[in-house]
Amino acid sequence: METKPLLYGIIGLFIGGLVVSTAATMEKPSETTNDMSMSQMTNELKDKKGDAYDKAFLNSMIEHHEGALEMAKYSADNAKHAEIKDLSKEIITAQEEEISQMKQWRADWGYATADKDSSH
């Protein structure tokens, strides 16, 4: 079993949690995300099943990843340490690929609508 993809996945999940925590404490809400916390997103999923769950999950995860992407782009430009800049670049690559995949699934499964954020 290759451990590198698993490690990147775990790091991405960890960083994503940090992004949501940090974004929730920032003075100005991001233009790509709203003020929903991770726990609010999770709570919205609790009573959903099937297509309703999948659509809400994809919408929440896309929003979550867009927040991570925004934070990583900021740190890639502003961090002092090369390690953080390098990690930020890896996060940008991974999150962009995952956002693209989730948007494609959303379109393929008929969840993409003009009101894509109706689950929030």
Side-chain angles (χ1 to χ4, degrees), residues 79-99:
K80 173 183 177 181
H81 295 283
E83 294 87 350
I84 292 176
K85 289 180 181 238
D86 292 343
L87 177 61
S88 296
K89 290 174 186 172
E90 291 173 12
I91 291 169
I92 291 166
T93 299
Q95 298 292 301
E96 284 177 340
E97 289 175 13
E98 291 174 11
I99 290 168

Side-chain angles (χ1 to χ4, degrees), residues 43-90:
N43 283 337
E44 278 200 11
L45 297 173
K46 286 186 178 176
D47 295 328
K48 291 181 172 47
K49 300 235 184 271
D51 280 326
Y53 179 91
D54 292 354
K55 181 179 180 180
F57 176 81
L58 288 173
N59 287 339
S60 292
M61 286 304 291
I62 290 168
E63 179 180 329
H64 170 74
H65 278 42
E66 286 173 343
L69 189 58
E70 182 178 329
M71 186 175 178
K73 285 178 179 177
Y74 186 75
S75 66
D77 292 335
N78 296 296
K80 173 183 177 181
H81 295 283
E83 294 87 350
I84 292 176
K85 289 180 181 238
D86 292 343
L87 177 61
S88 296
K89 290 174 186 172
E90 291 173 12

